[in-house]
Amino acid sequence: MTTQYGNQSTGQQHAATGNVLSIIAIVLGAVALIFLPIVFGVIGLVLAIIAKAVRHERLSTVALVVSAVGLVGGMILGALVVSA
């Protein structure tokens, strides 16, 4: 939206650019709990760290926790399945 003074924005932000990296990291962390935790968990952690340090997204802390739990939990579940 623009004002009558030219192409100056009115301060409204688009909702789609808010937490994209955090949401992707949360999904990868959840997937890491079941499939390939070393691959998906590490990628989720990297994206969550980038979202927190560089982009300052709101959901980055949640993404860090979910990715870490997915990584560690997936490795534990994998070890339990292999040993059984």
Side-chain angles (χ1 to χ4, degrees):
M1 192 175 253
T2 59
T3 62
Q4 64 181 350
Y5 301 110
N7 289 332
Q8 299 173 350
S9 97
T10 58
Q12 295 178 351
Q13 295 179 350
H14 298 290
T17 60
N19 294 311
V20 175
L21 286 180
S22 297
I23 292 171
I24 293 171
I26 290 170
V27 170
L28 287 175
V31 169
L33 196 58
I34 300 172
F35 300 111
L36 298 171
I38 294 189
V39 174
F40 291 120
V42 170
I43 294 172
L45 276 175
V46 169
L47 288 178
I49 290 170
I50 292 171
K52 187 166 188 71
V54 177
R55 297 187 55 173
H56 306 290
E57 295 181 3
R58 285 186 187 179
L59 292 176
S60 60
T61 305
V62 175
L64 266 169
V65 171
V66 171
S67 295
V69 168
L71 176 65
V72 174
M75 290 192 298
I76 291 172
L77 283 175
L80 290 174
V81 168
V82 168
S83 68

